[in-house]
Amino acid sequence: MTRIALDPLVADLDAESAALRAAGPLAEVELPGGVRCYAVTHHAEARQLLTDSRVVKDINVWNAWQRGEIPMDWPLIGLVNPGRSMLTVDGAEHRRLRSLIAQALTVKRVERLRSGIEALTNASLDRLAALPKGETVDLKAEFAYPLPMNVISELMGVDAADHPLLKELFEKFFSTQTPPEEVPQLMADLGAHFTKIVDGKRANPGDDLTSALIAASEDGDHLSDEEIVNTLSLIIAAGHETTISLVVNVVEALQTHPEQRERVLSGEVPWENVIEETLRWNTPATHVLIRFATEDIEVGDKVLPKGEALIVSFGALGRDEAQYGPTAGAFDITRSPNRHIAFGHGPHVCPGAALSRLEAGVALPALYERFPGLDLAVPASALRNKPILTQNDLHELPVDLG
């Protein structure tokens, strides 16, 4: 089996995803730092493995971890070993840790957040409208980032004053270019900051999900301090990064497909179609780390060996022709059916999927209604991916508001 080295600089994501698909449903890959694992790259096989009880989140199953081959200063250590939370356990323990978050983020509960999201969206649009006419705007920094960060912070009870520090810490956390000597201190700083937030909520609880997690632990649900801190960190990280990428990717897709943009803006095609097709075609999560095989598992004509690590390459499987037909590589907002799994599948499916869809469904129509002449300020070929293995994330999205 040919091993594919994943580019730490993410210079050509489309080419990398195509190479992964061509390698078959199970590809042997090399992560930055020379760490070897496997990637599932086709849709059907991904659905199968994401519901297979023989594929688990317990890092102690990983042969390389047991052999001491994964250094604590590896830039991706926080993604493969983020501490105990609903992300890293399975079965009954996973259901216990996930239950409060899942209850808070049901479709019905999320819909109650709509008015607040609309207010935050309008405030962001007002700020954009107040900028000098003709000035190039980084839509990611000025619009796509503030909205989800404010929404998830309000949900979890995180003060807006923390946003600059969190942005700095998460930039380093997700980057493949963080110097190894900085990684241990980075992980310590993230842990200390979220511990401080939890301690503050324990002293002064509010109407937020962090306070609810603390109350649950005190009422006998037996959530440890580590579980509360790690859950808060996980929800804040995942709760804003995915939506930022989704909003940015929709704008990029529409601006590079003007005929489809016109069909959306005219009302011919609903925004829901645009969001779902973007989730499939240019998914926010590129590779999701990491699961481990408790025994040999057949995947097509290959085998995922016992004790080896598996990543899910959503960027590759989103354009799998076996699932989406010969037009899988094309952006098509009329595609039907469009049964993608961009938010995952099985027990660990993203609990924030409904919230991300709602935010995008509010923000994007409002953006184009306010600025119908919006256009890219640079050629699409000039847009650059950030060196982040897990997120399909641009450095910036320069636009002219029109």
Side-chain angles (χ1 to χ4, degrees):
M1 185 185 297
T2 301
R3 188 183 308 157
I4 298 172
L6 301 185
D7 179 9
L9 297 177
V10 197
D12 191 342
L13 184 56
D14 285 348
E16 181 175 274
S17 294
L20 287 168
R21 281 192 303 278
L26 187 70
E28 187 172 347
V29 300
E30 184 175 298
L31 302 176
V35 174
R36 296 184 297 107
C37 67
Y38 291 80
V40 58
T41 65
H42 290 190
H43 181 99
E45 287 78 6
R47 285 177 61 94
Q48 168 200 331
L49 289 171
L50 289 170
T51 56
D52 193 323
S53 61
R54 298 171 297 174
V55 181
V56 300
K57 289 299 196 86
D58 183 1
I59 196 171
N60 294 300
V61 172
W62 193 9
N63 291 338
W65 184 259
Q66 293 178 346
R67 293 192 296 261
E69 297 172 2
I70 310 301
M72 296 307 293
D73 61 357
W74 185 38
L76 300 179
I77 191 67
L79 291 164
V80 303
N81 187 33
R84 185 177 175 81
S85 73
M86 63 182 179
L87 185 68
T88 58
V89 295
D90 299 284
E93 283 298 284
H94 172 254
R95 290 189 293 273
R96 177 180 72 90
L97 291 172
R98 183 184 171 103
S99 61
L100 285 169
I101 303 299
Q103 291 168 26
L105 294 177
T106 62
V107 173
K108 183 178 291 186
R109 285 179 179 266
V110 163
E111 185 61 31
R112 295 175 191 168
L113 301 173
R114 178 180 290 273
S115 61
I117 293 171
E118 289 173 345
L120 288 168
T121 297
N122 289 330
S124 290
L125 293 173
D126 288 343
R127 287 193 294 271
L128 289 179
L131 295 173
K133 297 296 183 183
E135 181 178 292
T136 296
V137 175
D138 178 2
L139 196 68
K140 178 185 174 183
E142 299 296 335
F143 184 71
Y145 175 81
L147 175 64
M149 192 61 180
N150 282 325
V151 170
I152 202 67
S153 293
E154 185 172 325
L155 183 69
M156 300 303 295
V158 173
D159 196 298
D162 290 341
H163 290 180
L165 176 60
L166 289 176
K167 186 175 188 296
E168 178 186 345
L169 292 175
F170 280 132
E171 288 269 353
K172 294 179 179 179
F173 176 79
F174 284 108
S175 177
T176 60
Q177 301 302 293
T178 299
E181 62 271 16
E182 295 182 13
V183 171
Q185 187 60 52
L186 168 64
M187 300 307 299
D189 289 346
L190 276 166
H193 188 71
F194 283 108
T195 298
K196 179 182 176 181
I197 294 173
V198 170
D199 289 344
K201 287 296 174 183
R202 182 172 280 115
N204 296 288
D207 184 19
D208 55 73
L209 196 46
T210 303
S211 298
L213 291 170
I214 295 168
S217 70
E218 293 171 348
D219 290 342
D221 199 28
H222 307 300
L223 291 172
S224 69
D225 286 352
E226 178 191 13
E227 290 167 344
I228 295 169
V229 168
N230 290 339
T231 298
L232 171 62
S233 176
L234 168 64
I235 295 298
I236 292 292
H240 79 282
E241 283 288 341
T242 297
T243 307
I244 293 169
S245 295
L246 175 55
V247 170
V248 166
N249 292 351
V250 167
V251 173
E252 180 187 358
L254 289 182
Q255 296 312 125
T256 53
H257 296 80
E259 72 292 344
Q260 298 196 55
R261 169 184 157 161
E262 291 309 310
R263 298 182 72 179
V264 178
L265 299 189
S266 69
E268 179 186 347
V269 178
W271 277 99
E272 178 184 359
N273 289 35
V274 182
I275 291 168
E276 296 307 315
E277 177 65 349
T278 304
L279 284 167
R280 178 201 72 84
W281 182 73
N282 201 17
T283 183
T286 309
H287 306 286
V288 172
L289 282 58
I290 198 165
R291 291 167 167 82
F292 312 97
T294 59
E295 60 183 80
D296 288 354
I297 302 172
E298 292 185 5
V299 183
D301 61 353
K302 299 175 182 176
V303 173
L304 173 63
K306 177 181 178 180
E308 294 303 310
L310 177 76
I311 66 175
V312 184
S313 292
F314 287 101
L317 61 90
R319 301 188 188 184
D320 179 9
E321 291 190 4
Q323 172 67 15
Y324 303 106
T327 64
F331 179 71
D332 179 7
I333 58 176
T334 66
R335 187 179 303 277
S336 182
N338 191 358
R339 300 191 182 97
H340 64 78
I341 55 172
F343 284 110
H345 179 67
H348 286 276
V349 66
C350 176
L355 179 58
S356 186
R357 285 183 166 107
L358 175 60
E359 290 178 63
V362 169
L364 288 160
L367 172 68
Y368 278 95
E369 182 177 353
R370 185 77 71 94
F371 303 107
L374 183 149
D375 200 2
L376 295 180
V378 298
S381 59
L383 299 174
R384 301 172 301 126
N385 280 91
K386 297 181 72 172
I388 297 177
L389 190 73
T390 53
Q391 294 297 122
N392 182 5
D393 194 9
L394 295 178
H395 279 279
E396 56 188 1
L397 185 66
V399 301
D400 296 325
L401 296 175

